[in-house]
Amino acid sequence: MVTLPEASHIVHSEYDVVFLHDQEVQKEDLRRLYENAKRDQWNASTYIDWAKPVDLEQGFVADELIDIYDSPYWHKMNAAEKQEMNRLFSAWRLSQLFHGEHAAVLVCSQLANVLPDSDTKFFMSTQVMDEARHTEFFQRYLHGRVGQVYEQSEVGRELFDYILSDPRWYIKVIGLQLVGETFAVALFKMLAETAKDDLLREGCKLILRDESRHMGFGMLSLPEQVQQLSPKEREEMEDFTIHFLRNTLTGGFPREAYLDMGFNNHEIDEIRKMRRDKAQSSDFVLFRQLFKREMHNTLVNNLFKCGVLSESVRERLENELRVDVEGNLPGDD
């Protein structure tokens, strides 16, 4: 019996492997995406100057991203404490991206087995490499620069455990490309523009080059499959999509970082409430407003293009998740 690392867990899964006996091109658009993926590979070891120093006084991410920024809690801190709060918050947020990228390696490895044609299989083999490279980047960044890695949040673990155990390829693609990566891409864009560490900004820009292809795969592979779903399958898909969108959009909170900073449970609960209130106010930091707008726009557009944005999904997005569907729908042109 293989001895597993202590920092791991097993997800039980069962699915049929589609072994193709003909590798002829069937879907030209997906084969072009595969060619682009081969052309655009980059090496995390050589494309990034890992020797570039980080300015700890500036921090890793912008202070404005930290929930307690400009609050009484923040103003009580001295300069060294603010630096440490930035480090811990950055460690928690980037750890979630790190675990998500590793989970994506596993999901994409499964998809290369279960996808039904050669063009989708070929492309998915390149996404396995992409996600491994992203995992490598965050592993090196967290260990080498930030100095701390947090465990995966319950929200992230639930999402990926579910899609890893579900045998349906379209559920895996929706969970990864429409739910997980919609949030991740909006965060990568914000970090690429606002992170204080040049190396983090550079890494996020490189990762975004890959992510645009990954989303493109969902847009090309899902619509035909979604149209073929039975009413029952459609209902299950919509419930899955809304459930995990709700968890992803509202569930992540860096409680462990605040505990490590010395906050007690009462203070942390107060910070969580303060964050919810701030998110609904007009005082919300500008680039966090832009992040929310970017995320909602990408989400609505992708759901629409994939055929997932039914009237039921639209109502639930608006009523349960407060997403402005009408204002984010793509134009006629």
Side-chain angles (χ1 to χ4, degrees):
M1 182 176 180
V2 177
T3 302
L4 295 174
E6 182 178 341
S8 65
H9 72 281
I10 293 175
V11 180
H12 295 284
S13 62
E14 182 176 335
Y15 52 84
D16 294 329
V17 175
V18 179
F19 192 111
L20 298 172
H21 297 264
D22 184 355
Q23 308 297 329
E24 290 299 317
V25 176
Q26 295 176 303
K27 298 178 179 178
E28 292 284 356
D29 48 5
L30 279 164
R31 189 58 68 106
R32 281 194 298 273
L33 202 63
Y34 167 64
E35 291 294 332
N36 292 343
K38 290 191 293 181
R39 179 196 66 198
D40 294 336
Q41 294 294 307
W42 52 277
N43 189 329
S45 296
T46 59
Y47 273 52
I48 293 173
D49 181 8
W50 290 101
K52 185 183 297 184
V54 59
D55 184 349
L56 294 177
E57 290 187 5
Q58 285 290 318
F60 299 93
V61 303
D63 286 338
E64 290 86 347
L65 291 181
I66 302 171
D67 306 304
I68 60 172
Y69 176 77
D70 202 28
S71 73
Y73 289 117
W74 184 259
H75 294 305
K76 288 179 183 177
M77 291 180 174
N78 60 36
E81 290 169 334
K82 290 176 181 177
Q83 289 177 27
E84 179 64 2
M85 186 72 253
N86 187 294
R87 188 186 74 84
L88 293 172
F89 179 88
S90 300
W92 188 90
R93 174 52 66 198
L94 298 178
S95 291
Q96 303 319 307
L97 290 172
F98 163 62
H99 294 303
E101 296 296 336
H102 172 60
V105 174
L106 305 181
V107 176
C108 293
S109 300
Q110 290 183 335
L111 281 166
N113 283 310
V114 303
L115 285 166
D117 59 79
S118 62
D119 303 300
T120 53
K121 287 178 179 293
F122 278 21
F123 175 80
M124 197 48 60
S125 68
T126 69
Q127 190 170 343
V128 173
M129 184 63 205
D130 290 346
E131 306 295 1
R133 183 169 55 246
H134 303 170
T135 306
E136 175 194 354
F137 171 80
F138 283 112
Q139 170 84 1
R140 292 184 67 168
Y141 190 87
L142 285 163
H143 282 279
R145 293 174 83 79
V146 184
Q148 188 156 349
V149 181
Y150 283 102
E151 289 294 318
Q152 187 176 28
S153 69
E154 291 183 12
V155 169
R157 178 164 174 165
E158 182 192 6
L159 169 64
F160 283 107
D161 282 8
Y162 186 99
I163 58 180
L164 282 167
S165 61
D166 195 290
R168 296 166 292 183
W169 73 262
Y170 62 89
I171 290 293
K172 296 181 188 295
V173 173
I174 289 171
L176 179 62
Q177 316 287 48
L178 294 190
V179 177
E181 290 200 344
T182 293
F183 178 84
V185 165
L187 187 55
F188 286 138
K189 286 183 177 179
M190 183 175 65
L191 291 174
E193 295 174 2
T194 67
K196 296 302 182 181
D197 183 10
D198 291 342
L199 195 149
L200 179 57
R201 289 202 306 272
E202 180 184 353
C204 287
K205 288 176 182 176
L206 287 168
I207 290 171
L208 280 169
R209 281 171 34 183
D210 299 337
E211 298 294 357
S212 63
R213 294 194 305 273
H214 303 169
M215 283 196 168
F217 174 83
M219 302 305 103
L220 293 173
S221 64
L222 280 172
E224 182 180 353
Q225 178 65 29
V226 169
Q227 288 178 357
Q228 297 173 3
L229 298 179
S230 68
K232 184 176 184 300
E233 289 172 328
R234 175 94 200 193
E235 182 180 2
E236 290 176 350
M237 177 199 67
E238 292 183 357
D239 287 344
F240 161 82
T241 302
I242 293 296
H243 173 73
F244 283 108
L245 278 175
R246 180 189 300 110
N247 285 2
T248 301
L249 295 176
T250 63
F253 179 74
R255 181 181 185 84
E256 296 83 359
Y258 288 115
L259 284 171
D260 286 347
M261 194 63 204
F263 289 94
N264 60 43
N265 288 327
H266 173 74
E267 290 169 329
I268 292 172
D269 290 341
E270 191 173 72
I271 291 168
R272 186 192 291 267
K273 181 181 183 302
M274 181 179 65
R275 183 173 87 159
R276 287 197 299 265
D277 294 341
K278 187 184 293 186
Q280 301 306 317
S281 75
S282 58
D283 296 330
F284 208 32
V285 175
L286 176 60
F287 54 72
R288 293 189 76 166
Q289 289 179 330
L290 296 175
F291 164 73
K292 183 177 179 180
R293 189 181 309 158
E294 169 76 25
M295 182 173 58
H296 286 186
N297 181 263
T298 303
L299 171 63
V300 171
N301 275 265
N302 289 352
L303 292 174
F304 176 80
K305 291 175 182 177
C306 292
V308 180
L309 190 62
S310 66
E311 191 60 35
S312 171
V313 169
R314 177 174 178 152
E315 290 178 0
R316 294 171 74 177
L317 285 173
E318 291 174 336
N319 298 332
E320 298 177 30
L321 302 180
R322 289 183 287 197
V323 174
D324 177 15
V325 176
E326 185 65 31
N328 286 293
L329 281 170
D332 295 334
D333 55 334

